[in-house]
Amino acid sequence: MGDQKKDLRNRSIVISEGEHRAPNRAMLRAVGFTDEDFKKPMIGIASTWSEVTPCNMHIDQLAIRAKEGAKEGGGAPLIFNTITVSDGISMGTPGMRYSLPSREVIADSIETVVGAENLDGLVAIGGCDKNMPACMIAMGRLNVPSVFVYGGTIAPGKHEGKDIDIVSAFEAVGKYNSGAIEKEELHTIECHACPGAGSCGGMYTANTMASAIEAMGMSLPGSSSNPAETSNKLDDCEKAGRAVIRLLEQDIYPRDIMTKKAFENAITVVMALGGSTNAILHLLAIAHTVDVDLSLEDFERIRLGVPHIADLKPSGRYVMQDLHNVGGVQAVMKVLLEKGLLHGDCLTVTGKTVAENLAEAPDLAEGQDVIRSFDQPLRETGPLVVLKGNLAPEGAVAKMSGLKVKEITGPARVFDSEEEATKAVLEDRINEGDVVVIRYAGPKGGPGMAEMLSISAIIVGKGLGEKIGLLTDGRFSGGTHGLVVGHVSPEAQVGGPIGLLQEGDTITIDSISQSLNVHLSDEEFAKRQAEWVAPPLKATRGVLAKYAKLVSSASKGAVLD
């Protein structure tokens, strides 16, 4: 063979060779392909650029840089787009039902384009919460050499000399409602919370998933904490374009990287950083796609050995940009590896292992206090806690970071929608000690398992954050904090116990014993179960109807296939 270069056209060769494919090639010549390009691997650049959210409004420029990198690396790249929706804009409205289903729509669309066009490799660039796991699900399904790039975190806003962000605006609504601030201050916070491009700034879902994807080895080292509006972020994209060609040369595929150990690394990093509860839902779904057996029990097992060391919002003081300034996710991973908590032998998109990548990574900056030492953690174990009990036989998820109150027993205040519950909170009909229940909000019942940052932030803003419990078969935003439990499974719509609750039932949420129970006899439970009738699905046409018919339980990642 000698020095003959390897043909990297794993899939596109069905178009680029043979006289009978002249018509196929004629189409590509119209978009700029030459004879020379047909000898190169075709690389898809999946751009989630959109003007509907600051998280993604700069990704058009990032995609161009990724294309340049792939071209310089020896590929024939093509940019294509997919959708995104903004959780922050749809939050607290009926539009929020579309958020989680958008994960499947985006994954399907990337799979469709790469599959239809016979592309050899993929660079996907994500920003807002759902398009990131969606890119990973598509990569897992397609199993073509792939690199993910995070669009990056937003810079913090400023108000009265303090850093603020989107959650500050949600919580300001509760403060205004309780009379703690004037309308003018609410407006000022609204105007300064989001200063430019990038994803919500704390350790919310976007930054959590970016960190998890880097820990998993599917994005380039250091890229998850590089802020949106920096030259570093442009470099991330260019390097990703080159990296995908190297993956083709080395025959490294997503399923070689996304192993059980890689998911364990991702979970470890999420626990140490105090990430979003949504990470559980998304990591379960990605694992399902690549046939890795991951369950809620795995999260629980890993959580017990990993301290929460990052003082990041929503429960802490700092934002992702602060973490970047002291060494970033890489520096945290380096500490975790030294403590024996990461699998250093996992393969990554650099072609090297996690340990080899981290040998070149920066250490945490001297004197920083964004990341605590292991002997003074914020919490001895990870803060994402799985609860089980007669209200959640399949499990439920709570984020117990920064909470002084670890359990609550109180009367159930039962609502069949977030809107009704929010109205009750704003009208001061919820009292200290109550346990607010929002049901028929799950994957099928919502449909779409809406996030409830709006109501949880209002509760915190009104000073009730640790004085009432909040329980739902829906989800919470990565920005949510307080005594809240989501993902209650099975959900009400399929006959889960949460659907059998009645106003005034006594409920206990206990994060120490990790239990979630209603104080009812087995006989009463059985009687209610026998009388329960499933309500009709709320959507009868379109994407929400299809989603409601196909979606699985939250305890399995709310997957469709």
Side-chain angles (χ1 to χ4, degrees), residues 206-263:
N207 283 324
T208 299
M209 289 312 300
S211 307
I213 292 165
E214 181 174 330
M216 205 187 293
M218 285 299 294
S219 60
L220 292 173
S223 61
S224 65
S225 35
N226 285 335
E229 297 183 292
T230 59
S231 58
N232 290 356
K233 188 46 65 187
L234 291 165
D235 291 347
D236 289 341
C237 295
E238 194 168 326
K239 287 176 186 163
R242 291 173 182 270
V244 79
I245 308 295
R246 288 199 303 275
L247 292 171
L248 275 162
E249 288 166 353
Q250 297 172 324
D251 279 325
I252 297 174
Y253 296 86
R255 288 175 181 233
D256 300 329
I257 296 170
M258 287 197 266
T259 60
K260 177 79 179 240
K261 280 180 165 182
F263 280 97

Short mmCIF file of all heavy atoms in Angstrom, two decimals, residues 206-263:
data_model
loop_
_atom_site.label_atom_id
_atom_site.label_comp_id
_atom_site.label_asym_id
_atom_site.label_seq_id
_atom_site.Cartn_x
_atom_site.Cartn_y
_atom_site.Cartn_z
N ALA A 206 -28.09 24.31 30.11
CA ALA A 206 -27.17 24.41 28.97
C ALA A 206 -25.72 24.21 29.43
O ALA A 206 -24.98 23.40 28.86
CB ALA A 206 -27.34 25.74 28.26
N ASN A 207 -25.31 24.93 30.46
CA ASN A 207 -23.93 24.78 30.94
C ASN A 207 -23.70 23.40 31.55
O ASN A 207 -22.60 22.84 31.45
CB ASN A 207 -23.60 25.89 31.95
CG ASN A 207 -23.31 27.22 31.25
OD1 ASN A 207 -22.71 27.25 30.18
ND2 ASN A 207 -23.74 28.32 31.85
N THR A 208 -24.73 22.84 32.17
CA THR A 208 -24.62 21.48 32.72
C THR A 208 -24.37 20.48 31.59
O THR A 208 -23.47 19.63 31.67
CB THR A 208 -25.91 21.08 33.47
OG1 THR A 208 -26.12 21.98 34.56
CG2 THR A 208 -25.83 19.66 33.99
N MET A 209 -25.18 20.56 30.53
CA MET A 209 -25.04 19.60 29.43
C MET A 209 -23.73 19.80 28.67
O MET A 209 -23.11 18.83 28.23
CB MET A 209 -26.24 19.68 28.48
CG MET A 209 -27.54 19.15 29.06
SD MET A 209 -27.40 17.52 29.87
CE MET A 209 -26.83 16.48 28.53
N ALA A 210 -23.29 21.05 28.54
CA ALA A 210 -22.00 21.30 27.88
C ALA A 210 -20.88 20.62 28.67
O ALA A 210 -20.00 19.97 28.09
CB ALA A 210 -21.75 22.80 27.79
N SER A 211 -20.93 20.76 29.99
CA SER A 211 -19.91 20.15 30.86
C SER A 211 -19.98 18.63 30.77
O SER A 211 -18.94 17.95 30.69
CB SER A 211 -20.12 20.59 32.31
OG SER A 211 -20.17 22.00 32.41
N ALA A 212 -21.20 18.08 30.76
CA ALA A 212 -21.39 16.63 30.69
C ALA A 212 -20.86 16.07 29.37
O ALA A 212 -20.22 15.01 29.33
CB ALA A 212 -22.87 16.28 30.85
N ILE A 213 -21.13 16.79 28.28
CA ILE A 213 -20.69 16.32 26.95
C ILE A 213 -19.17 16.35 26.84
O ILE A 213 -18.56 15.43 26.28
CB ILE A 213 -21.36 17.17 25.84
CG1 ILE A 213 -22.88 16.90 25.81
CG2 ILE A 213 -20.75 16.87 24.46
CD1 ILE A 213 -23.69 17.92 25.00
N GLU A 214 -18.54 17.38 27.42
CA GLU A 214 -17.07 17.41 27.43
C GLU A 214 -16.52 16.27 28.29
O GLU A 214 -15.58 15.58 27.90
CB GLU A 214 -16.54 18.75 27.95
CG GLU A 214 -15.02 18.78 27.95
CD GLU A 214 -14.40 20.12 28.32
OE1 GLU A 214 -15.01 21.18 28.06
OE2 GLU A 214 -13.28 20.10 28.87
N ALA A 215 -17.14 16.05 29.45
CA ALA A 215 -16.69 14.96 30.34
C ALA A 215 -16.83 13.61 29.66
O ALA A 215 -16.03 12.70 29.87
CB ALA A 215 -17.50 14.98 31.63
N MET A 216 -17.84 13.51 28.80
CA MET A 216 -18.10 12.26 28.08
C MET A 216 -17.11 12.05 26.93
O MET A 216 -17.04 10.97 26.37
CB MET A 216 -19.53 12.33 27.51
CG MET A 216 -20.17 10.99 27.27
SD MET A 216 -21.75 11.20 26.42
CE MET A 216 -22.70 12.00 27.67
N GLY A 217 -16.38 13.11 26.59
CA GLY A 217 -15.38 12.98 25.53
C GLY A 217 -15.87 13.34 24.15
O GLY A 217 -15.17 13.13 23.16
N MET A 218 -17.08 13.92 24.06
CA MET A 218 -17.66 14.20 22.73
C MET A 218 -17.47 15.64 22.26
O MET A 218 -17.88 16.01 21.17
CB MET A 218 -19.16 13.86 22.73
CG MET A 218 -19.44 12.37 22.67
SD MET A 218 -18.79 11.53 21.20
CE MET A 218 -19.80 12.29 19.92
N SER A 219 -16.84 16.49 23.11
CA SER A 219 -16.45 17.82 22.63
C SER A 219 -15.00 18.06 23.02
O SER A 219 -14.44 17.35 23.87
CB SER A 219 -17.36 18.91 23.20
OG SER A 219 -17.31 18.93 24.61
N LEU A 220 -14.38 19.03 22.39
CA LEU A 220 -12.94 19.24 22.59
C LEU A 220 -12.64 19.76 23.99
O LEU A 220 -13.42 20.52 24.56
CB LEU A 220 -12.41 20.22 21.54
CG LEU A 220 -12.41 19.69 20.10
CD1 LEU A 220 -12.02 20.78 19.13
CD2 LEU A 220 -11.46 18.49 19.95
N PRO A 221 -11.50 19.38 24.55
CA PRO A 221 -11.14 19.81 25.91
C PRO A 221 -11.17 21.33 26.04
O PRO A 221 -10.64 22.05 25.18
CB PRO A 221 -9.70 19.29 26.05
CG PRO A 221 -9.60 18.14 25.11
CD PRO A 221 -10.49 18.48 23.96
N GLY A 222 -11.81 21.80 27.11
CA GLY A 222 -11.86 23.23 27.37
C GLY A 222 -13.01 23.97 26.72
O GLY A 222 -13.32 25.10 27.08
N SER A 223 -13.66 23.32 25.74
CA SER A 223 -14.66 24.04 24.94
C SER A 223 -15.96 24.31 25.70
O SER A 223 -16.67 25.26 25.39
CB SER A 223 -14.96 23.30 23.64
OG SER A 223 -15.50 22.02 23.90
N SER A 224 -16.27 23.50 26.72
CA SER A 224 -17.57 23.67 27.36
C SER A 224 -17.65 24.93 28.21
O SER A 224 -18.73 25.48 28.41
CB SER A 224 -17.92 22.45 28.22
OG SER A 224 -17.02 22.32 29.30
N SER A 225 -16.51 25.43 28.70
CA SER A 225 -16.59 26.63 29.54
C SER A 225 -16.12 27.89 28.84
O SER A 225 -16.14 28.97 29.44
CB SER A 225 -15.85 26.41 30.87
OG SER A 225 -14.72 25.62 30.73
N ASN A 226 -15.70 27.81 27.58
CA ASN A 226 -15.34 29.03 26.84
C ASN A 226 -16.60 29.85 26.56
O ASN A 226 -17.54 29.34 25.95
CB ASN A 226 -14.65 28.68 25.52
CG ASN A 226 -13.22 28.23 25.72
OD1 ASN A 226 -12.58 28.58 26.71
ND2 ASN A 226 -12.69 27.46 24.79
N PRO A 227 -16.65 31.12 27.00
CA PRO A 227 -17.87 31.93 26.80
C PRO A 227 -18.19 32.18 25.33
O PRO A 227 -17.33 32.07 24.46
CB PRO A 227 -17.54 33.24 27.53
CG PRO A 227 -16.47 32.87 28.51
CD PRO A 227 -15.66 31.81 27.82
N ALA A 228 -19.46 32.53 25.08
CA ALA A 228 -19.98 32.66 23.71
C ALA A 228 -19.25 33.72 22.90
O ALA A 228 -18.83 33.46 21.77
CB ALA A 228 -21.48 33.00 23.78
N GLU A 229 -19.10 34.90 23.47
CA GLU A 229 -18.59 36.02 22.67
C GLU A 229 -17.08 36.21 22.88
O GLU A 229 -16.63 37.26 23.32
CB GLU A 229 -19.37 37.29 23.01
CG GLU A 229 -20.86 37.15 22.65
CD GLU A 229 -21.68 38.40 22.90
OE1 GLU A 229 -21.88 38.78 24.06
OE2 GLU A 229 -22.14 38.99 21.91
N THR A 230 -16.32 35.15 22.56
CA THR A 230 -14.86 35.21 22.69
C THR A 230 -14.20 34.58 21.47
O THR A 230 -14.80 33.79 20.76
CB THR A 230 -14.39 34.43 23.94
OG1 THR A 230 -14.81 33.05 23.81
CG2 THR A 230 -14.94 35.00 25.23
N SER A 231 -12.93 34.95 21.26
CA SER A 231 -12.16 34.34 20.17
C SER A 231 -11.94 32.85 20.45
O SER A 231 -11.83 32.04 19.53
CB SER A 231 -10.82 35.05 19.99
OG SER A 231 -10.10 34.99 21.21
N ASN A 232 -11.89 32.49 21.75
CA ASN A 232 -11.74 31.07 22.14
C ASN A 232 -12.86 30.22 21.53
O ASN A 232 -12.65 29.09 21.12
CB ASN A 232 -11.82 30.89 23.66
CG ASN A 232 -10.61 31.46 24.37
OD1 ASN A 232 -9.68 31.90 23.73
ND2 ASN A 232 -10.63 31.45 25.69
N LYS A 233 -14.08 30.78 21.54
CA LYS A 233 -15.23 30.03 21.04
C LYS A 233 -15.11 29.82 19.53
O LYS A 233 -15.43 28.74 19.02
CB LYS A 233 -16.53 30.76 21.40
CG LYS A 233 -17.81 30.00 21.11
CD LYS A 233 -17.81 28.55 21.56
CE LYS A 233 -17.72 28.34 23.04
NZ LYS A 233 -17.55 26.90 23.37
N LEU A 234 -14.66 30.83 18.82
CA LEU A 234 -14.44 30.69 17.37
C LEU A 234 -13.37 29.62 17.11
O LEU A 234 -13.51 28.79 16.21
CB LEU A 234 -14.03 32.03 16.75
CG LEU A 234 -15.14 33.10 16.71
CD1 LEU A 234 -14.56 34.48 16.44
CD2 LEU A 234 -16.19 32.76 15.65
N ASP A 235 -12.32 29.63 17.94
CA ASP A 235 -11.26 28.60 17.80
C ASP A 235 -11.80 27.20 18.06
O ASP A 235 -11.42 26.25 17.38
CB ASP A 235 -10.11 28.88 18.80
CG ASP A 235 -9.33 30.13 18.44
OD1 ASP A 235 -9.50 30.63 17.31
OD2 ASP A 235 -8.56 30.62 19.30
N ASP A 236 -12.69 27.07 19.07
CA ASP A 236 -13.31 25.76 19.35
C ASP A 236 -13.93 25.18 18.09
O ASP A 236 -13.84 23.98 17.82
CB ASP A 236 -14.43 25.90 20.40
CG ASP A 236 -13.93 26.19 21.80
OD1 ASP A 236 -12.74 25.95 22.08
OD2 ASP A 236 -14.75 26.67 22.62
N CYS A 237 -14.63 26.06 17.35
CA CYS A 237 -15.35 25.60 16.15
C CYS A 237 -14.40 25.20 15.04
O CYS A 237 -14.58 24.17 14.39
CB CYS A 237 -16.29 26.71 15.67
SG CYS A 237 -17.59 27.04 16.87
N GLU A 238 -13.37 26.01 14.84
CA GLU A 238 -12.39 25.69 13.80
C GLU A 238 -11.69 24.36 14.12
O GLU A 238 -11.55 23.48 13.26
CB GLU A 238 -11.37 26.82 13.70
CG GLU A 238 -10.54 26.72 12.43
CD GLU A 238 -9.74 27.99 12.18
OE1 GLU A 238 -10.23 29.09 12.51
OE2 GLU A 238 -8.63 27.86 11.65
N LYS A 239 -11.31 24.19 15.38
CA LYS A 239 -10.64 22.95 15.79
C LYS A 239 -11.58 21.74 15.66
O LYS A 239 -11.13 20.64 15.33
CB LYS A 239 -10.17 23.07 17.25
CG LYS A 239 -8.97 23.98 17.44
CD LYS A 239 -8.66 24.11 18.93
CE LYS A 239 -7.56 25.12 19.19
NZ LYS A 239 -7.55 25.54 20.61
N ALA A 240 -12.87 21.94 15.93
CA ALA A 240 -13.83 20.84 15.81
C ALA A 240 -13.93 20.38 14.36
O ALA A 240 -14.02 19.18 14.08
CB ALA A 240 -15.20 21.28 16.31
N GLY A 241 -13.91 21.34 13.42
CA GLY A 241 -13.93 21.00 12.00
C GLY A 241 -12.74 20.14 11.60
O GLY A 241 -12.87 19.17 10.84
N ARG A 242 -11.57 20.48 12.13
CA ARG A 242 -10.37 19.68 11.84
C ARG A 242 -10.43 18.33 12.55
O ARG A 242 -10.03 17.30 12.00
CB ARG A 242 -9.12 20.44 12.32
CG ARG A 242 -8.80 21.69 11.52
CD ARG A 242 -7.66 22.46 12.19
NE ARG A 242 -7.35 23.67 11.49
CZ ARG A 242 -6.45 23.76 10.49
NH1 ARG A 242 -5.82 22.67 10.08
NH2 ARG A 242 -6.21 24.91 9.90
N ALA A 243 -10.96 18.34 13.78
CA ALA A 243 -10.98 17.11 14.60
C ALA A 243 -11.82 16.01 13.95
O ALA A 243 -11.48 14.83 14.04
CB ALA A 243 -11.51 17.42 15.99
N VAL A 244 -12.91 16.40 13.30
CA VAL A 244 -13.80 15.37 12.73
C VAL A 244 -13.09 14.62 11.60
O VAL A 244 -13.30 13.42 11.41
CB VAL A 244 -15.15 15.99 12.30
CG1 VAL A 244 -15.08 16.71 10.98
CG2 VAL A 244 -16.24 14.93 12.26
N ILE A 245 -12.19 15.31 10.89
CA ILE A 245 -11.41 14.64 9.83
C ILE A 245 -10.46 13.63 10.46
O ILE A 245 -10.31 12.50 9.97
CB ILE A 245 -10.61 15.67 8.98
CG1 ILE A 245 -11.52 16.79 8.47
CG2 ILE A 245 -9.87 14.97 7.84
CD1 ILE A 245 -12.58 16.37 7.49
N ARG A 246 -9.83 14.02 11.57
CA ARG A 246 -8.91 13.09 12.26
C ARG A 246 -9.66 11.86 12.77
O ARG A 246 -9.14 10.75 12.74
CB ARG A 246 -8.21 13.79 13.43
CG ARG A 246 -7.16 14.81 13.00
CD ARG A 246 -6.19 15.12 14.13
NE ARG A 246 -6.86 15.59 15.33
CZ ARG A 246 -7.21 16.86 15.55
NH1 ARG A 246 -6.94 17.79 14.64
NH2 ARG A 246 -7.83 17.21 16.67
N LEU A 247 -10.90 12.07 13.24
CA LEU A 247 -11.71 10.93 13.70
C LEU A 247 -11.98 9.97 12.55
O LEU A 247 -11.96 8.74 12.73
CB LEU A 247 -13.02 11.41 14.31
CG LEU A 247 -12.91 12.17 15.65
CD1 LEU A 247 -14.26 12.78 16.03
CD2 LEU A 247 -12.41 11.26 16.76
N LEU A 248 -12.24 10.52 11.36
CA LEU A 248 -12.44 9.68 10.17
C LEU A 248 -11.16 8.90 9.85
O LEU A 248 -11.22 7.70 9.56
CB LEU A 248 -12.83 10.55 8.97
CG LEU A 248 -14.31 10.90 8.83
CD1 LEU A 248 -14.51 12.09 7.91
CD2 LEU A 248 -15.09 9.70 8.28
N GLU A 249 -10.02 9.58 9.94
CA GLU A 249 -8.74 8.92 9.66
C GLU A 249 -8.47 7.78 10.65
O GLU A 249 -7.92 6.75 10.29
CB GLU A 249 -7.59 9.95 9.73
CG GLU A 249 -7.58 10.93 8.56
CD GLU A 249 -6.67 12.14 8.79
OE1 GLU A 249 -6.12 12.32 9.90
OE2 GLU A 249 -6.52 12.93 7.84
N GLN A 250 -8.87 8.00 11.90
CA GLN A 250 -8.57 7.02 12.95
C GLN A 250 -9.70 6.02 13.19
O GLN A 250 -9.59 5.17 14.07
CB GLN A 250 -8.26 7.77 14.27
CG GLN A 250 -7.02 8.65 14.19
CD GLN A 250 -6.87 9.52 15.43
OE1 GLN A 250 -7.84 9.99 16.01
NE2 GLN A 250 -5.63 9.73 15.85
N ASP A 251 -10.79 6.14 12.39
CA ASP A 251 -11.94 5.24 12.56
C ASP A 251 -12.49 5.28 13.99
O ASP A 251 -12.72 4.24 14.62
CB ASP A 251 -11.56 3.78 12.22
CG ASP A 251 -11.60 3.55 10.72
OD1 ASP A 251 -12.46 4.15 10.05
OD2 ASP A 251 -10.76 2.79 10.22
N ILE A 252 -12.69 6.48 14.51
CA ILE A 252 -13.28 6.63 15.86
C ILE A 252 -14.71 7.14 15.70
O ILE A 252 -14.95 8.19 15.10
CB ILE A 252 -12.44 7.59 16.74
CG1 ILE A 252 -11.04 7.01 16.95
CG2 ILE A 252 -13.14 7.83 18.07
CD1 ILE A 252 -10.08 7.95 17.67
N TYR A 253 -15.63 6.37 16.25
CA TYR A 253 -17.06 6.66 16.10
C TYR A 253 -17.68 7.02 17.46
O TYR A 253 -17.15 6.63 18.51
CB TYR A 253 -17.77 5.44 15.50
CG TYR A 253 -17.28 5.13 14.10
CD1 TYR A 253 -16.15 4.33 13.90
CD2 TYR A 253 -17.91 5.68 12.99
CE1 TYR A 253 -15.68 4.08 12.61
CE2 TYR A 253 -17.45 5.44 11.70
CZ TYR A 253 -16.33 4.64 11.52
OH TYR A 253 -15.86 4.41 10.25
N PRO A 254 -18.82 7.74 17.45
CA PRO A 254 -19.45 8.13 18.71
C PRO A 254 -19.65 6.97 19.69
O PRO A 254 -19.45 7.13 20.89
CB PRO A 254 -20.79 8.73 18.26
CG PRO A 254 -20.48 9.32 16.93
CD PRO A 254 -19.51 8.36 16.30
N ARG A 255 -20.02 5.80 19.17
CA ARG A 255 -20.27 4.68 20.08
C ARG A 255 -18.98 4.12 20.68
O ARG A 255 -19.03 3.40 21.68
CB ARG A 255 -21.06 3.58 19.37
CG ARG A 255 -22.51 3.99 19.14
CD ARG A 255 -23.29 2.98 18.34
NE ARG A 255 -24.66 3.43 18.14
CZ ARG A 255 -25.74 2.72 18.43
NH1 ARG A 255 -25.62 1.50 18.93
NH2 ARG A 255 -26.93 3.20 18.22
N ASP A 256 -17.83 4.44 20.07
CA ASP A 256 -16.55 4.07 20.69
C ASP A 256 -16.25 4.96 21.89
O ASP A 256 -15.55 4.57 22.81
CB ASP A 256 -15.39 4.24 19.68
CG ASP A 256 -15.57 3.37 18.44
OD1 ASP A 256 -16.16 2.29 18.57
OD2 ASP A 256 -15.15 3.80 17.34
N ILE A 257 -16.79 6.18 21.84
CA ILE A 257 -16.54 7.18 22.90
C ILE A 257 -17.61 7.11 23.98
O ILE A 257 -17.32 7.14 25.17
CB ILE A 257 -16.48 8.60 22.26
CG1 ILE A 257 -15.28 8.68 21.30
CG2 ILE A 257 -16.40 9.67 23.34
CD1 ILE A 257 -15.25 9.94 20.45
N MET A 258 -18.88 7.01 23.55
CA MET A 258 -20.00 7.06 24.50
C MET A 258 -20.27 5.69 25.11
O MET A 258 -21.25 5.03 24.85
CB MET A 258 -21.26 7.59 23.81
CG MET A 258 -21.18 9.08 23.52
SD MET A 258 -22.82 9.78 23.16
CE MET A 258 -22.86 9.70 21.38
N THR A 259 -19.33 5.26 25.96
CA THR A 259 -19.44 3.98 26.66
C THR A 259 -20.08 4.20 28.04
O THR A 259 -20.27 5.34 28.46
CB THR A 259 -18.05 3.37 26.86
OG1 THR A 259 -17.29 4.30 27.66
CG2 THR A 259 -17.34 3.15 25.53
N LYS A 260 -20.35 3.13 28.74
CA LYS A 260 -20.89 3.24 30.11
C LYS A 260 -19.96 4.08 30.99
O LYS A 260 -20.40 4.94 31.75
CB LYS A 260 -21.08 1.84 30.69
CG LYS A 260 -21.59 1.80 32.14
CD LYS A 260 -23.08 2.04 32.25
CE LYS A 260 -23.57 1.99 33.67
NZ LYS A 260 -24.57 0.98 33.95
N LYS A 261 -18.64 3.83 30.86
CA LYS A 261 -17.67 4.60 31.67
C LYS A 261 -17.72 6.09 31.33
O LYS A 261 -17.56 6.93 32.21
CB LYS A 261 -16.25 4.07 31.41
CG LYS A 261 -15.88 2.82 32.16
CD LYS A 261 -14.45 2.46 31.77
CE LYS A 261 -13.81 1.46 32.71
NZ LYS A 261 -12.41 1.21 32.28
N ALA A 262 -17.94 6.40 30.05
CA ALA A 262 -18.03 7.81 29.64
C ALA A 262 -19.24 8.49 30.28
O ALA A 262 -19.16 9.64 30.72
CB ALA A 262 -18.11 7.92 28.11
N PHE A 263 -20.36 7.77 30.34
CA PHE A 263 -21.55 8.32 31.01
C PHE A 263 -21.28 8.49 32.51
O PHE A 263 -21.74 9.46 33.12
CB PHE A 263 -22.77 7.42 30.77
CG PHE A 263 -23.39 7.63 29.42
CD1 PHE A 263 -23.07 6.81 28.34
CD2 PHE A 263 -24.27 8.68 29.20
CE1 PHE A 263 -23.63 7.02 27.09
CE2 PHE A 263 -24.84 8.90 27.95
CZ PHE A 263 -24.52 8.06 26.89
#
